[in-house]
Structures are given as C-alpha cells and as structure tokens.
Amino acid sequence: MISGDGFPVEPWQVRETDLELSRLAQTESLFALSNGHIGLRGNLDEGEPHGIPGTYLNSFYEVRPLPYAEAGFGYPEDGQTIVNITNGKVIRLLVDDEPFDVRYGDLLEHERVLDLRAGTLNRRARWRSPAGKQVQVTSTRLVSLTQRSVAAIEYTVEAVDEFALITVQSELVANEDLPDDSRDPRVSAVLRKPLEPLHHEVTEEGALLLHRTKLSKLSVAAAMDHLVEVPGRVEVDTIARENLARTTVLCGLRPGQRLRIVKYLAYGWSSLRSRPALQDQVAGALAGARYTGWEGLLGAQRDYLDEFWDCADVEVEGDPDSQQAVRFGLFHVLQASARAERRAIAGKGLTGPGYDGHAFWDTEGFVLPVLTYTMPGAAADALRWRASILDLARKRAEQLDLAGAAFPWRTIHGEECSAYWPAGTAAWHVNADIAMAFERYRTVTGDNSLDAECGLSVLVETARLWMSLGHHDRHGVWHLDGVTGPDEYTAVARDNVFTNLMAAANLRAAANTCTRHAEAAHAMGVTTEETAAWRDAADSANIPYDKELGVHPQCEGFTTLREWDFNSNAVYPLLLHEPYVRLYPAQVVKQPDLVLAMQWQSHAFNAQQKARNVDYYERRTVRDSSLSACTQAVMCAEVGHLELAHAYTKEAAMVDLRDLHTNTRDGLHMASLAGAWTALVGGFGGLRDDEHLLSLNPHLPEGISRLTFGLRWRNFRLRAVVDHSEVTYLLRDGPDGELTIRHAGDDL
C-alpha cells in the first residue's frame, strides 16, 4: 500500500515527502513522465537505487519465441516485448570524491512532486556526505508534449556549509541490468542486453549512441546535449563507448554557490531509416530543444496542459481523494496518448514493463472514451493505428480459416501475441470493441471523415468476421459459440451476452456505414445482400435470459453453474492461486462482464433488468481485474446504489495511487486511470452515447457535494455542474445551431 503521511492528498499534485526505498518501484511508476512517444520511469536522477529502470519508446520492441508444452494449429509463434532503451535520465553526483547515494551519508530532506498542471517531476534533496559536507540538490524533469522527440532535465547543486569539489556525470546508458523475471503473468519477460551497438560519437556539447535490436531489427538513436552554468572555473569532458556515453562536469563551489546543468535528450527509432538519417533526426530534435531553451520548454508544457485541463478537468467537491485521483488519472491518460501519433496506447502506457508493453481491448474500451470526449485528435490517431494493422488482422483471420479480420488480443506491432487461447483469441469481442470506438468517435465528434479514411474498412472486415464466427440455428436464432467475454474466469462459452450484443452493434454499424459510403463499400465488394445478412444476424442474436431468476446469465447456462465458495477460496487474485479447472465451471467473475454490457449497450436492458442484474453479479465478482471497479461504479450509480458506487469509484481511482493490486511497480493501469473519469462522469454524471445521443442523468452520493465536468460534443464545449439540488449545463462555445442534451430521459 502506498499511503500515510508521506503522500499528502493535494488537488493538483502527487507529492512524496520522504523517501522509502521499499516502495521505489511503485513510485517510479507513479512519477513516470511520457508524451506517448517517449516514456521515462520516475527513477532517481543518480540511477541507483532503483526498483525497475525504465526508458521506453512507443512500439519499440524485441521479438521472442513463445514456448508451448504442446503446440497447436493457429497458436502465435512469437511474442513481442517492450525494450528498456538507452537511459538518458542518469545524472550522478560526487561531493569531493563521495558519490551522492541516498543509502549512504545522511538524507536530511527529500521530496518529489509530480505537478499535474506544469507536467514536470520536481525533486529536492538535502544530503550530508559521510565526510560531513552538505549539498542541496534540486532537479526538474519533463518529457515535452510539444516537441515529440525531446525530454529535458534541469539539475542544480548548491554547496551549503563549506567549500566542496563537485563532479557531475551525465550519462547515456544502454543495456542496463534489470530485475529478475516473475511468474506473475501480469509482468513482462526480461530481455537481457537486447540492444546491439551500431555507432557512438562525441558531439559538441554531448554524445550520441545508436543501437539495434537483435531480432526485430529496430534501430534507436539517443543523444544528449548540456548547458552548464557555474560561477568560476569549470571543466567539461565527454566520452562515448558502445553502451555508455558520459559528460563530466567538474567545478568547485563555495557555500551558497550553485552549479546548474540543463540536459537535453532526444530519441528516435525506425525499422527503415538509415543510420545517418536517425542521427540527423535526433540532432535536429536537440537543435530544436536548444533553440526553445529550458524556460521555453517549461512554458510550452504549461500552455499545452492549460488547454487540456480547460476542457477535461473534473472537479469533485467533498471528496479530496477522488479529486486528486481523477486528475492523476487524466494526466497519465493524456501522457500515454498525446504524441502517440498512430502508435498503440499500451495497457501500462509507457510507465513500466508490465504486460510486455502490449495494447489490449482496454484502449478502445476504457481509454478512448475519455479521449474522445476530451481530446478527440488523440482518439482519432489511436483509431488510425488500429486501422494500420488491418492487413495483419486479415492474415490472422485467414490463418484461423475465418473471413474478415481478427484483431489481436494483445500486441505491440500488430501480430497476435497471446499464447493462451481461452483468454486470448477466444475473446473475439476485441473486434467489436474496436468497432464501437470508431462509432463513438463519429457520434461524439460528428466527424465522418475518419470513416471514409479507414473506419469503413475496419467495420466491414469485423462484420465479416462475426458472420464467419456465428451461425443461425434451425429456428433462425443467431449464436456465437466458443467465445470468452470480458470475464476471463468463464471461458470458451456459448452466447456470451456482452459479446452477442457488441457483435450485433458491430454488424449494424457496419451496415449503416456502408449506406453512408456506398461507393467505397461497393469497391470493397460489399453487396446489399451482405448488409441485409448483417442486419438479420444482429436482429436475431440470442440474448439468454433466466426467467426463473429474472436475470441475464452472463452466457448460456451461467446461472446453473456451481456457486463459488468465497469463504474457502478467497486469496486474490484467483488466477495466481486457483487452477482454471476450478474457475471455469463456477459462478465466479473476474470482471463484471454482463454489467459492462449494460453500460455499453444500455438501451438493450430495461430499468428492472439492470437493477436485478447488478444485484446478482455484484455478489459474484471478485474484481481481480483492474477494469472492474469503474464498471461496477457506473451501473451501481444508475440503479440507485449511490454509496456503493462511490466506494467502487474510489477503488478504481486508487488502483495505482494506493497500489491496490500490488503490481503498480510494473506500470500504471491506464484503463483504470481512465475508469476514474468514467466512474464520475459516466456513473454520477450518467453519461451514455450508445443511442447516438448525448444522454446525461446525474445523481450524487452523500460523499460528493458537487461534481463539475467538461465535455466536447460535435464541436461544442459544454460543462455540467451537479449538486444535490440541481443540475446546470453551461454551453461554453461551439458552432451555430442547437445542441440537444437528453437529460433524465427528456430532450433539452
């Protein structure tokens, strides 16, 4: 647990007031900085001690074989793992000849602050060396949201009580040693020295290292430059070797004098570009950073975030924990996506090696709704990435003897990397989740251009996949067999309600999109007979219902499975303590599968069904998935369990700030961070869009006195202000014309 006085609850920052080495790995994730292209874990400046070193570039990965005790046809042969690339964060300090290391001497003060408005990680330390000399060390780190390839660090050393000889060693380090692998499936495979050196050189103010992965053959360049300011004489020297470049700054400081170093970093990678081109790319990025200067980078960062918060901010009065947490979540969701630019948004973003750096359905299901309503350009880029791997999805479907396109359950580059069929390939719903994200983007933004650009192809090919997977029985009812819904503890089932409803929505959306883009659809070979078959399958999809209990079984027969003994089997997560042979035949739910169906396909259930379903599944859901709490918060709020919804909201919001799943060390949970917004705006704000309307129905729990949130809807910007007595909608700006809001079932 990350808690206590060392982490005060503050509305616009996450502050650590003392350093506990036992939680370094967790705080490295919390204090990570990223722009969607570069990711820097919040390691200490001096590099040691550390929990998990981490510097990442989006979609930079290495290939590794997937071992099987018993291989099967259609199993993926290779996995992909994110690579810890060249670390440019390291700035070592020696006072006289003694290294500044928090494990030695006396750490008199230590504070780190993640500033959510400035977009920086600030550190302040006062240290007394074993020889008794005191120094004050301050640093500010940023990953630029405006200059995609740039990160920068301002590092200052001040002598406190007597003269000191100061040596600073600023480094680029490749092929760092990493902690041992773990048996936890949520943790990544450890790659040992994955980078082959290609080139190294000393530049005018720094150095450059160029490497390549051994199997994926991706090349990466990392470069650093320095600005050095100090009173009196200073010596600066740089060396470069295959896996290390070091700029050494040597000076003497009297009490009160300061050494200031600004370190500019630039990163670039490619699978195609030549070595000179990559070198020129990072050299150009460094030139841009120097031209902008440190103060310019800080100002641009603040301006970017001011614009984001102006629309995206959520104000939660009466609940300071949720207030801090929702802003923390929004900040990291923004960091994961802002400059991803047609690359994947991974389940952990670029905050750690968890899940091997893979992207899942989490992106379209949980992260993109937030971006679509707050930063639609980033959502569009994420959807373009999905469309860019469509050919690989077609090949995967062909390999499995299916029509259309089968998008991967987990991937970095686009190939399927899931080695476990029941909780991977059989979770076909990822295809409908992607289709839903395209539909939501069009609905919320009013922008049809993305459909014409790439959405039509994705919708058509996913519709064709569903027709290949499903079948009509002799009574004309359409079924999907052998599927796994969001609940991975009930696998390879028949007629999973979530999957059937989502597939039906996918089929209808594809048919409607073909009507809007008739010529393009015709060019893809779509006929009126094919779209009619899509609509027929959607209309006749089987949605199981248990009349005796008055609830929807999660899948056919689910309510007849044996009940789980929660008293005797309650060591969580169950996937690490129970065999699947015990989980699959039981009514125990990893993630609220049917409950999520009621959120995303709200119109398919009436109020009584929602209430009964929520009550039934709440008792059977263990929430071993970090995706669970936000979904339960939304639906508990809708059916009137407001205090329970509030508890679930706080659980979703605190997954990483309190390390509730004990795996924050491996990176932050992007979907749950986004889920804090969803729980507040979708739960207590009542936001729904599945009927292609802006629908809101706010209700607050006792623990929240006022909720204020902003949304973008079809080029309008609006703000909702909710308290226990009234709801006010403020139209801030937008195009000419009327904006219709469905409030509590009535159009305004």
Side-chain angles (χ1 to χ4, degrees), residues 31-237:
F31 292 140
L33 294 177
S34 174
N35 63 5
H37 173 59
I38 303 170
L40 306 181
R41 277 178 65 82
N43 306 114
L44 300 177
D45 297 295
E46 52 275 16
E48 297 178 9
H50 59 244
I52 302 174
T55 304
Y56 311 107
L57 290 178
N58 194 338
S59 299
F60 190 86
Y61 70 96
E62 179 60 303
V63 174
R64 59 184 178 85
L66 291 175
Y68 296 97
E70 184 175 344
F73 181 80
Y75 286 13
E77 296 180 0
D78 297 309
Q80 298 162 4
T81 296
I82 194 170
V83 173
N84 177 36
I85 62 156
T86 310
N87 182 2
K89 303 187 295 290
V90 177
I91 301 177
R92 304 188 196 276
L93 167 66
L94 290 90
V95 180
D96 290 345
D97 61 348
E98 294 182 300
F100 169 43
D101 188 317
V102 297
R103 296 168 294 188
Y104 303 102
D106 298 305
L107 190 61
L108 306 175
E109 297 177 19
H110 195 277
E111 180 178 86
R112 289 187 289 176
V113 176
L114 180 67
D115 190 321
L116 306 178
R117 287 182 291 193
T120 57
L121 175 62
N122 307 308
R123 183 190 185 199
R124 179 177 56 84
R126 184 182 289 260
W127 180 73
R128 183 166 53 222
S129 73
K133 291 193 176 181
Q134 285 192 42
V135 291
Q136 181 85 25
V137 179
T138 59
S139 68
T140 301
R141 182 186 300 174
L142 67 82
V143 175
S144 177
L145 294 166
T146 57
Q147 298 189 30
R148 184 172 184 257
S149 300
V150 169
I153 304 167
E154 182 188 49
Y155 189 85
T156 302
V157 183
E158 179 182 342
V160 175
D161 51 1
E162 56 184 300
F163 177 85
L165 184 65
I166 300 297
T167 305
V168 172
Q169 299 170 318
S170 175
E171 298 182 348
L172 295 173
V173 185
N175 288 319
E176 295 174 289
D177 290 334
L178 296 173
D180 291 336
D181 201 355
S182 166
R183 289 192 171 188
D184 187 337
R186 303 168 296 180
V187 180
S188 74
V190 174
L191 301 177
R192 303 297 179 189
K193 301 190 182 307
L195 298 175
E196 295 180 330
L198 297 178
H199 177 74
H200 58 274
E201 67 178 51
V202 174
T203 61
E204 185 175 347
E205 301 292 343
L208 176 146
L209 298 180
L210 188 65
H211 289 80
R212 181 178 61 194
T213 53
K214 298 173 184 176
L215 298 177
S216 61
K217 301 301 181 184
L218 304 181
S219 297
V220 57
M224 63 179 179
D225 270 5
H226 301 86
L227 171 68
V228 179
E229 296 176 349
V230 64
R233 187 165 66 92
V234 63
E235 293 185 7
V236 181
D237 180 63

Side-chain angles (χ1 to χ4, degrees), residues 362-382:
D362 307 22
T363 302
E364 285 78 15
F366 295 85
V367 175
L368 291 199
V370 179
L371 293 176
T372 302
Y373 279 103
T374 61
M375 200 173 183
D381 274 342

Side-chain angles (χ1 to χ4, degrees), residues 340-616:
E341 296 175 7
R342 308 191 189 194
R343 300 282 185 192
I345 300 175
K348 297 283 188 179
L350 296 174
T351 66
Y355 295 120
D356 285 311
H358 291 165
F360 297 80
W361 70 295
D362 307 22
T363 302
E364 285 78 15
F366 295 85
V367 175
L368 291 199
V370 179
L371 293 176
T372 302
Y373 279 103
T374 61
M375 200 173 183
D381 274 342
L383 292 170
R384 290 186 180 101
W385 168 72
R386 276 296 186 187
S388 75
I389 65 171
L390 181 59
D391 284 344
L392 291 172
R394 288 189 181 106
K395 289 180 181 178
R396 176 65 173 158
E398 183 179 359
Q399 180 187 27
L400 298 173
D401 195 24
L402 297 168
F407 281 97
W409 180 245
R410 57 187 301 169
T411 191
I412 294 177
H413 182 259
E415 296 86 354
E416 178 62 80
C417 294
S418 177
Y420 185 57
W421 179 283
T425 301
W428 301 105
H429 68 83
V430 62
N431 299 280
D433 306 330
I434 293 166
M436 176 190 67
F438 274 95
E439 270 293 276
R440 175 180 287 111
Y441 178 83
R442 184 186 64 82
T443 294
V444 173
T445 66
D447 176 12
N448 289 316
S449 65
L450 194 65
D451 269 358
E453 178 187 336
C454 58
L456 173 66
S457 298
V458 171
L459 289 164
V460 166
E461 297 293 18
T462 49
R464 286 170 170 168
L465 177 77
W466 291 119
M467 296 303 292
S468 184
L469 286 167
H471 73 281
H472 287 88
D473 66 18
R474 66 180 183 275
H475 305 294
V477 180
W478 193 70
H479 300 275
L480 284 168
D481 298 324
V483 305
T484 300
D487 171 29
E488 295 167 11
Y489 289 171
T490 308
V492 196
R494 184 175 211 213
D495 285 337
N496 171 258
V497 171
F498 175 91
T499 304
N500 284 18
L501 285 173
M502 293 292 290
N506 189 163
L507 291 164
R508 293 189 184 100
N512 293 337
T513 305
C514 288
T515 300
R516 290 194 303 272
H517 303 279
E519 291 186 10
H522 179 73
M524 292 182 64
V526 178
T527 65
T528 54
E529 290 80 10
E530 186 174 20
T531 57
W534 295 348
R535 294 186 189 277
D536 177 61
D539 292 341
S540 59
N542 186 41
I543 308 300
Y545 184 71
D546 187 323
K547 293 181 180 179
E548 181 181 355
L549 295 176
V551 299
H552 288 83
Q554 181 174 284
C555 57
E556 191 69 67
F558 181 84
T559 52
T560 65
L561 299 178
R562 65 176 173 83
E563 295 282 1
W564 184 260
D565 184 354
F566 287 95
N567 293 323
S568 302
N569 304 278
V571 182
Y572 304 109
L574 293 179
L575 65 94
L576 299 183
H577 300 93
E578 296 286 345
Y580 281 111
V581 70
R582 297 272 296 153
L583 296 170
Y584 285 169
Q587 291 190 57
V588 58
V589 179
K590 180 182 179 184
Q591 183 179 313
D593 187 310
L594 193 280
V595 177
L596 186 61
M598 295 191 295
Q599 178 189 344
W600 289 3
Q601 298 295 319
S602 180
H603 63 281
F605 303 85
N606 63 40
Q608 183 181 21
Q609 290 171 342
K610 289 177 182 177
R612 293 183 67 89
N613 286 335
V614 165
D615 290 348
Y616 188 85

Side-chain angles (χ1 to χ4, degrees), residues 265-286:
L265 293 165
Y267 289 98
W269 74 269
S270 178
S271 60
L272 301 172
R273 305 183 72 208
S274 66
R275 297 182 196 178
L278 268 180
Q279 292 173 231
D280 289 347
Q281 178 182 338
V282 293
L286 283 179

